[in-house]
Amino acid sequence: MKATATAHPNIALVKYWGKRDERLILPHQSSLSVTLGPLSVTTTVEFLGGDGHDEVTINGKVAAGSERARVVELLGLVRSQTKRRLGRAKMVSKGDFPAAAGLASSAAAFAALAVAARTAAGFARDTQAESILARRGSGSASRSVQGGFVRWNRGTRADGRDSFGEQLFAASHWPELRLLVGMVSREEKEVKSRDGMRTTVETSPYYPAWAKDAEAEVANLIPFIRRRDLEAVGAIAEKNAWRMHSTAFAADPPLCYLKPATLAVIQTCAELRKKGVGVWFTLDAGPNPVLLTSKTDEAKVAKVLQQHGAREVVRCRPGGDAEVG
Ligand code: 2P0
C-alpha cells in the first residue's frame, strides 16, 4: 500500500480561468496546455492501515493549514473510492523546481499525488480517473497526468465525470518547442489564482465573453499544434493571455498580475519578431512571462530575458506523462 509518482507542471496556451462548480472544481471553459519537462514533483503515499491523522510533508516541512487540508481531502476521496481499508496515510512530496520558479507547483503536485495515492490504494493506472482526482486538488493538475499537449475538457455533467485532461499529442510530437520562464519578479502575488478567478467570475462584465472565446480558441489551436506552426500557436497563446488578463483587469476590485518588467518583456517579443526571432509570450496569474520559441532561437530569447532583469531563466520543453516508480 505504498507508491511513488512523478509529474511535471504545465503551462496553458489557452487558459483556465473560472469555475462553474467550486467544490468539484469544474471550469466554465476547456483549456489546453503543454506539460513542462524537465521540472517535476515526486510524491510518495503510503497507507498505514491504522487509525489516526495523515502525515503530510512537502519539500521537507510538515504541512499545516490549507496546504495540508487540500492533501488530506484528496486522500479522503481515494479512501471513499475503495472497499479496502487503507487507514491513515503518510505522504511525502518534493519538487525540483528552481527556487521561486514562478511556475505553479500545484499542477504537478496534485497530479503526482493523485497517481501515487490511487496506485498505493491498489487501483490500476487509469489516466482519466487520475485526472479527475487530480482536478479535485487543483484544476490545472488535471492537465499534468499526461505529457505533451493536453486538453482539459470542460464537460457538461454536474458530477464532473466528463471533465478531465486528455492528451492530444505526445511530447515527442514537437521536441524543438521551447518554453522559457523569465523570473522578472519574485514577489509573492497578492491575489491567489483561486481567489482571483472567483472575483473575476462574480464581478467582471467581460467574463461570459472570455469563457465563450476561450472554448472556441481551444478548437482553433489544435490544427496549429498538429502542424507544429509556432507562429500560429504563439499568436493564439498571446491573444488568449491578453484576453484572460483583460477579463481580470475588469473585475471589481481590479486584478492586475503584470509588473512593469512583465510589460517590457511582452513588448520586446513584438520587436524581436520584426527582427526575425520567433518568440511569443504567455502569462499566468503572476508577473513572470513564459516565452514560446524554438530550439534555434532559445539562446537569443534567454539573453533578452536576462537583459530585462530576469534573474533566472528556467528553460523548459514538452515533458512526459506522470509516472509511477
Ligand atoms: C491555467 N491558471 O490554465 C490558469 C492560467 C492560472 C492562470 O490554472 O483553484 O491553481 O486550484 O483550480 O489550477 C491556476 O489555477 O486553481 C491556473 P484551482 P489553479 O493554468
Side-chain angles (χ1 to χ4, degrees), residues 10 12 14-17 19 25 31 70 104 106 135 137-141 143 193-194 197 244 283-285:
N10 69 72
V14 174
K15 314 279 183 197
Y16 146 55
W17 196 249
K19 298 174 182 66
I25 310 197
S31 53
R70 284 171 71 176
S106 68
R135 190 199 77 218
S138 200
S140 52
R143 300 186 310 237
S193 298
R194 189 162 284 195
M197 64 176 91
M244 186 200 102
L283 187 67
D284 273 354

Side-chain angles (χ1 to χ4, degrees), residues 65-290:
S66 68
E67 193 180 33
R68 177 177 187 278
R70 284 171 71 176
V71 172
V72 168
E73 191 185 334
L74 197 130
L75 293 167
L77 287 171
V78 175
R79 288 188 195 95
S80 71
Q81 289 167 3
T82 178
K83 289 198 178 86
R84 289 178 78 181
R85 183 167 153 61
L86 300 174
R88 74 184 192 96
K90 188 175 164 189
M91 179 274 204
V92 178
S93 182
K94 197 166 169 41
D96 67 359
F97 296 13
L103 282 163
S105 58
S106 68
F110 281 105
L113 174 61
V115 174
R118 275 182 53 90
T119 306
F123 290 103
R125 290 293 314 264
D126 174 342
T127 54
Q128 188 171 314
E130 287 162 359
S131 174
I132 287 173
L133 181 64
R135 190 199 77 218
R136 296 289 300 269
S138 200
S140 52
S142 67
R143 300 186 310 237
S144 271
V145 169
Q146 289 178 292
F149 298 81
V150 178
R151 176 179 59 202
W152 173 13
N153 300 307
R154 176 196 190 276
T156 53
R157 293 177 61 112
D159 64 9
R161 272 162 52 190
D162 57 356
S163 188
F164 51 83
E166 182 186 10
Q167 186 185 67
L168 302 175
F169 305 96
S172 57
H173 171 70
W174 199 347
E176 308 81 19
L177 181 65
R178 294 292 182 271
L179 303 115
L180 272 57
V181 190
M183 296 292 304
V184 298
S185 168
R186 287 178 188 222
E187 278 171 42
E188 184 97 347
K189 61 186 171 198
E190 284 166 31
V191 183
K192 289 195 158 69
S193 298
R194 189 162 284 195
D195 302 325
M197 64 176 91
R198 185 186 300 118
T199 304
T200 308
V201 173
E202 288 172 0
T203 67
S204 176
Y206 304 155
Y207 190 78
W210 152 262
K212 187 167 175 240
D213 177 74
E215 192 67 46
E217 289 289 65
V218 167
N220 295 338
L221 182 57
I222 295 168
F224 297 133
I225 297 173
R226 183 175 291 119
R227 297 207 297 264
R228 292 183 284 269
D229 182 339
L230 181 59
E231 185 170 357
V233 169
I236 289 189
E238 288 205 345
K239 190 164 50 148
N240 182 261
W242 277 127
R243 288 180 181 175
M244 186 200 102
H245 287 274
S246 303
T247 311
F249 295 153
D252 184 13
L255 280 161
C256 179
Y257 289 105
L258 284 78
K259 297 276 181 196
T262 317
L263 195 54
V265 170
I266 289 171
Q267 289 175 337
T268 303
C269 287
E271 286 162 23
L272 283 171
R273 288 201 291 273
K274 284 187 203 149
K275 293 180 190 158
V277 180
V279 58
W280 288 264
F281 83 93
T282 185
L283 187 67
D284 273 354
N288 297 318
V290 179

